[in-house]
Amino acid sequence: MELRYALLFSCLIIPLCSSDTDVSSHFVLEPYDFLFDKAVEAYYKGDWLTVVLNMEKALRNKATVRNVKAQCRLSCANQTAFGERLSGLGVPIPGAGSVEDLGFFQKILKRADCVNSCETEKLGYPTLHQVTADVELEFKKRTPYNYLQAAYFKINKLDKAVAAAHTFFVANPDHVEMKQNLDYYRMMAGVQPEDFKDLEARPHMAEFLLGKSYYSDESFGLGADHFEVAINEYFTADKECRALCEGAYNYDGYNYMEYSADLFQTMTDHYMQVLNCKQHCAVELASTAGKDKPFEDFLPSLFNYLQFSYYNSEKYEQAIECAKTFLLFHPADVVMNQNLAYYSVVLGEDKAATISARQVVKQHIQQSLLEKELLYFGYEAFGITFVDPDTWTPEDVMPKKLRDKQKADRETAARITEEIGNLMKEIETLVEEKKKDSSDIAMIITQPEGGALLYDDIKVTMTSKQLNGSQRVLLDGVISDDECRELHRLSNVTATAGALPPHTPSEMFQGVTVLKAVKLGQEGTVPLKSARLFFDVSEKVKKVLGSYFRLDAPLYFSYSHLVCRSAIDEKQEDRKDLSHPVHVDNCVLVSELNKCLKEPPAYTYRDYSAILYLNDDFEGGDFIFTELDAKTVTAKVRPQCGRVVGFGAGQENPHGVRAVTKGQRCAVALWFTLDPTHEEKVRTISFLPTASVSG
Ligand SMILES: *[C@@H]1O[C@H](CO)[C@@H](O)[C@H](O)[C@H]1NC(C)=O
Ligand SMILES: *[C@@H]1O[C@H](CO)[C@@H](O)[C@H](O)[C@H]1NC(C)=O
Ligand SMILES: *[C@@H]1O[C@H](CO)[C@@H](O)[C@H](O)[C@H]1NC(C)=O
């Protein structure tokens, strides 16, 4: 979750590292991304031992950081016990009043201090090192095991090579080469069946899967044993998962620049994010590597398997306990109620009545429901979206107003779908009729894009077809030369160069959002007129795009940003990187697999994107569309003032920006969503009258 701090730590507590290098003085726990890079470099030099040493250490260090964070937060949770009287203050908490407030914050401070000292003791002082999202993704995809299996094989550690290969393959079941490797290993002498281990398996999931396989073989006794362990491990993993959620606040895009909430709003925003993450643990724990979807209703179904296993082992007391536990989640479940009635008759009604559901599950449900209530409160009061991951939540946990709204939205969506369906049918009929004597109408079907542009000066320079793809358009004349210059000036004045996370080291990057521009306008730092222009121009692009792509539902802004990238002259030699690497706007591009995963951290709700260019007096910086491999360029667009490239934000449109090798390239980047809950803040606050720019 939280990757801000890395990791210097003394060797005292980790016996693993005492074998290498200097133990006496300060030992440095190297950040695992450095180790990963070192191992990859060694791989290309064929230095297998270095690959193994560094990659193993990278995995170990990553696990250490994770465990220390979880354990420190869990063991420090006792610092916020509000029951007892506070030393020095002498008032019970909770209570009302400014003294009680102090007591509350004293607890918070103590807990922060406890967590900090605990982590510092075990990991050393925090540094500013931050592991990049790219490397995080590699670990998530278990890429380290791909390198490890090759290196182990080369140094003849066959058992380890097999385990690494298996571990990688579990998470990448479509990987053809690894499948071949595994087939090959299976036939080799000296390889044992038990070498095929998943080194990253999580205990609760491994036990569940094992239990399930015994269950399928009708070995119900063994099945029950493993399901019981799975349940125990589940709650351990759940505690850890929740503790790991208590990390840093995750800003969306660059909006930390304009974040100015007060104390309680800030705490609320952060806490809502933490609670959302904690709720998501139910999904996290139900997921298993290599499977697209999490197991549905995972925890309740564990008790379902278990009650049936006990019934088949004629253990009626346990079967009743598990059936009652399942019914805590789904009290109206017909089959389970029948089962319970049957088991009760067999055991004796009186005895059955004394058996209750498991306490740990009662507590779990109670806590989860309280979390959901807070999250829904946050949704209603502050618009912080919450989507309940559980299927068992009673209906009335969601406030009635929200329920009604969602119902209305669903009905609208269904109606629109139906209307579109009818319309398409009409068009098809029309086409059928006219087919014989006119080919024009067929164009409507093959080119659903191409709606009115609404402004006389704007013209379509290239359609999807000319841009070698779909859901693409190139427009010119969207704004005038004067307007380009004014926006470029705005960017130069507001630029907070250097304050942003670096992209490529060969370029400087500066950016300003609409909200920031409006604020600066109100403060008089920039002409309010220019801020207004930025706002209006982005509205104009939105209108044109919605109309051109013939969208039935309105587009909302998700994020808009005026950005300039300037080449740093002395850093252009031998440059091979892009200015902005190839990516897709609403999914995580995994170019090695030609796949795009529509899941966080991608902004999955983004539906359309547009870039409005402001100038062309620079070298390099062409915009490119590629295939899903992120390499094969399908179309290239040269920026110029007033030009807009607009496109669908999905996997049909991977794109990037080539290196800017001389001068400064400025553009307005706009992302749109069809989902109003993700509308950009400034648009709803409406600082400015929303009049449109004159043609
Ligand atoms: C709370 O946890 C800390 C850290 O593990 C421990 O040192 C302390 O003794 C615990 N305090 C209580 C009251 O349990
Ligand atoms: C903005 O700054 C860049 C680099 O400092 C400069 O080349 C450019 O002329 C400036 N543009 C405007 C419109 O002020
Ligand atoms: C589309 O593909 C063709 C053939 O590869 C290429 O010549 C053309 O330049 C591409 N279009 C754009 C806009 O890049």
Side-chain angles (χ1 to χ4, degrees):
M1 302 286 118
E2 171 204 35
L3 312 160
R4 299 226 150 174
Y5 299 94
L7 348 143
L8 304 162
F9 79 108
S10 77
C11 225
L12 295 175
I13 44 103
I14 306 288
L16 289 172
C17 60
S18 51
S19 58
D20 26 30
T21 60
D22 176 14
V23 192
S24 56
S25 65
H26 274 329
F27 183 80
V28 176
L29 176 69
E30 286 172 86
Y32 54 87
D33 55 341
F34 289 0
L35 291 164
F36 177 80
D37 287 347
K38 258 200 220 170
V40 173
E41 216 181 290
Y43 179 86
Y44 288 107
K45 290 189 191 134
D47 180 355
W48 313 118
L49 211 54
T50 307
V51 175
V52 167
L53 286 177
N54 285 287
M55 209 55 109
E56 283 184 345
K57 206 168 176 192
L59 289 164
R60 225 156 46 215
N61 286 4
K62 184 170 190 297
T64 303
V65 175
R66 183 181 189 280
N67 290 341
V68 166
K69 284 192 186 290
Q71 294 318 320
C72 284
R73 285 175 195 154
L74 288 173
S75 70
C76 289
N78 68 11
Q79 306 279 318
T80 335
F82 284 105
E84 77 230 59
R85 280 177 178 265
L86 288 167
S87 55
L89 290 172
V91 285
I93 305 296
S98 51
V99 175
E100 283 83 354
D101 270 4
L102 280 173
F104 170 79
F105 283 104
Q106 183 192 44
K107 288 293 189 190
I108 301 290
L109 263 54
K110 279 177 75 172
R111 188 151 170 184
D113 178 45
C114 175
V115 173
N116 280 345
S117 353
C118 175
E119 287 187 6
T120 307
E121 185 190 327
K122 293 176 179 155
L123 296 176
Y125 285 94
T127 71
L128 285 176
H129 177 76
Q130 198 174 350
V131 174
T132 63
D134 295 352
V135 176
E136 267 305 298
L137 193 65
E138 295 301 340
F139 277 82
K140 202 171 166 206
K141 291 185 321 196
R142 301 191 177 180
T143 310
Y145 291 96
N146 194 352
Y147 289 99
L148 272 176
Q149 76 92 21
Y152 285 134
F153 178 76
K154 297 277 187 185
I155 60 172
N156 269 324
K157 299 246 181 210
L158 214 49
D159 54 337
K160 292 197 164 187
V162 173
H166 181 73
T167 304
F168 178 79
F169 189 65
V170 167
N172 301 276
D174 300 324
H175 203 280
V176 178
E177 286 149 44
M178 196 59 82
K179 185 171 183 324
Q180 286 167 354
N181 287 352
L182 282 165
D183 290 343
Y184 173 68
Y185 285 132
R186 235 171 246 117
M187 293 185 304
M188 281 174 84
V191 173
Q192 311 294 327
E194 56 275 16
D195 290 339
F196 293 83
K197 311 188 251 258
D198 179 358
L199 301 170
E200 294 272 319
R202 293 180 302 171
H204 73 279
M205 187 54 74
E207 292 291 338
F208 167 68
L209 295 174
L210 211 53
K212 221 168 86 153
S213 68
Y214 283 120
Y215 180 96
S216 311
D217 293 345
E218 304 194 4
S219 303
F220 294 108
L222 282 170
D225 292 347
H226 287 286
F227 289 136
E228 286 291 4
V229 182
I231 287 168
N232 261 332
E233 294 288 352
Y234 180 92
F235 287 111
T236 308
D238 185 54
K239 276 211 186 75
E240 230 178 72
C241 177
R242 281 163 188 268
L244 288 168
C245 284
E246 293 167 359
Y249 185 60
N250 187 6
Y251 290 91
D252 183 1
Y254 296 114
N255 57 9
Y256 62 90
M257 288 172 65
E258 59 215 20
Y259 190 70
S260 59
D262 75 357
L263 172 65
F264 289 98
Q265 189 62 48
T266 307
M267 287 169 66
T268 300
D269 291 345
H270 195 157
Y271 193 59
M272 286 294 121
Q273 210 171 68
V274 168
L275 277 188
N276 241 311
C277 170
K278 290 188 176 192
Q279 279 283 308
H280 194 73
C281 284
V283 179
E284 174 74 23
L285 295 183
S287 309
T288 157
K291 204 164 158 278
D292 280 350
K293 284 209 172 96
F295 286 104
E296 212 167 291
D297 217 21
F298 184 67
L299 186 57
S301 71
L302 263 169
F303 284 96
N304 198 350
Y305 279 113
L306 202 49
Q307 61 87 24
F308 198 67
S309 302
Y310 281 130
Y311 157 69
N312 278 293
S313 319
E314 296 181 31
K315 294 188 170 168
Y316 293 102
E317 285 174 35
Q318 284 95 327
I320 289 170
E321 187 194 25
C322 292
K324 285 188 176 174
T325 306
F326 178 90
L327 289 169
L328 291 176
F329 293 103
H330 301 287
D333 190 89
V334 176
V335 176
M336 193 60 76
N337 277 304
Q338 280 169 1
N339 289 357
L340 179 61
Y342 175 77
Y343 305 153
S344 301
V345 169
V346 177
L347 186 72
E349 301 274 4
D350 290 348
K351 201 163 173 203
T354 63
I355 300 171
S356 45
R358 291 203 185 167
Q359 192 57 29
V360 60
V361 176
K362 278 189 199 162
Q363 274 167 3
H364 176 82
I365 291 179
Q366 199 180 22
Q367 175 180 354
S368 186
L369 287 179
L370 204 52
E371 284 173 358
K372 292 178 206 292
E373 276 170 29
L374 293 192
L375 282 161
Y376 279 129
F377 183 87
Y379 197 166
E380 281 207 302
F382 315 110
I384 303 170
T385 319
F386 168 57
V387 180
D388 190 347
D390 291 313
T391 54
W392 50 263
T393 313
E395 193 188 57
D396 58 4
V397 172
M398 184 189 283
K400 186 165 179 328
K401 249 166 79 194
L402 262 175
R403 244 182 299 154
D404 292 346
K405 185 174 172 301
Q406 293 202 343
K407 188 157 161 264
D409 286 352
R410 268 197 305 274
E411 283 165 5
T412 312
R415 208 190 58 234
I416 291 177
T417 314
E418 194 190 324
E419 279 170 11
I420 293 177
N422 290 343
L423 201 67
M424 288 309 282
K425 260 191 223 123
E426 274 173 37
I427 294 175
E428 274 169 39
T429 326
L430 208 65
V431 173
E432 283 299 314
E433 283 170 5
K434 295 271 170 117
K435 219 174 198 168
K436 298 134 222 157
D437 45 32
S438 161
S439 56
D440 286 356
I441 306 262
M443 293 292 285
I444 298 172
I445 297 293
T446 52
Q447 292 208 316
E449 63 182 49
L453 293 175
L454 311 175
Y455 299 85
D456 291 342
D457 295 342
I458 304 181
K459 65 177 204 303
V460 177
T461 306
M462 287 191 196
T463 59
S464 289
K465 199 165 167 222
Q466 287 159 310
L467 287 163
N468 300 326
S470 62
Q471 295 288 301
R472 300 176 179 176
V473 67
L474 191 67
L475 303 170
D476 276 313
V478 178
I479 60 173
S480 68
D481 288 352
D482 284 345
E483 289 170 329
C484 284
R485 265 192 299 276
E486 187 168 348
L487 289 175
H488 197 162
R489 247 192 325 269
L490 176 70
S491 157
N492 277 4
V493 177
T494 57
T496 42
L500 287 153
H503 283 237
T504 157
S506 311
E507 294 174 18
M508 292 267 288
F509 182 89
Q510 66 192 44
V512 59
T513 60
V514 174
L515 182 56
K516 174 91 178 186
V518 170
K519 278 186 181 164
L520 293 172
Q522 287 170 332
E523 290 164 6
T525 313
V526 303
L528 195 52
K529 183 170 142 286
S530 304
R532 165 75 182 269
L533 178 66
F534 183 7
F535 184 90
D536 288 347
V537 156
S538 51
E539 292 287 337
K540 181 174 177 182
V541 173
K542 184 182 81 167
K543 258 171 75 180
V544 171
L545 221 60
S547 166
Y548 179 77
F549 283 120
R550 297 188 198 271
L551 303 181
D552 298 293
L555 281 177
Y556 298 90
F557 282 98
S558 145
Y559 198 66
S560 30
H561 203 189
L562 167 54
V563 284
C564 296
R565 302 158 185 278
S566 316
I568 301 172
D569 288 338
E570 56 274 23
K571 292 190 181 160
Q572 298 305 320
E573 233 170 278
D574 292 335
R575 193 175 161 195
K576 293 203 184 65
D577 65 348
L578 294 180
S579 174
H580 194 173
V582 172
H583 62 280
V584 178
D585 288 334
N586 75 12
C587 49
V588 181
L589 181 61
V590 187
S591 51
E592 297 85 347
L593 299 177
N594 282 314
K595 265 191 187 157
C596 207
L597 310 173
K598 202 162 175 185
E599 61 188 35
Y603 301 109
T604 52
Y605 45 82
R606 289 182 175 168
D607 296 302
Y608 283 88
S609 310
I611 300 147
L612 165 65
Y613 297 104
L614 302 183
N615 65 326
D616 62 3
D617 51 344
F618 54 87
E619 287 171 19
D622 285 351
F623 174 95
I624 49 171
F625 284 113
T626 73
E627 305 272 13
L628 278 171
D629 64 3
K631 290 190 191 81
T632 315
V633 175
T634 54
K636 192 180 80 179
V637 171
R638 179 69 201 161
Q640 71 177 48
C641 164
R643 173 167 281 185
V644 165
V645 55
F647 50 96
Q651 62 166 6
E652 70 279 12
N653 285 322
H655 59 277
V657 178
R658 285 193 168 143
V660 178
T661 51
K662 194 169 174 132
Q664 186 186 44
R665 174 196 197 269
C666 293
V668 179
L670 301 160
W671 291 279
F672 307 103
T673 173
L674 291 163
D675 178 356
T677 60
H678 284 107
E679 184 169 23
E680 192 175 35
K681 235 183 209 156
V682 62
R683 310 288 169 175
T684 46
I685 296 170
S686 179
F687 280 88
L688 298 162
T690 52
S692 63
V693 200
S694 58

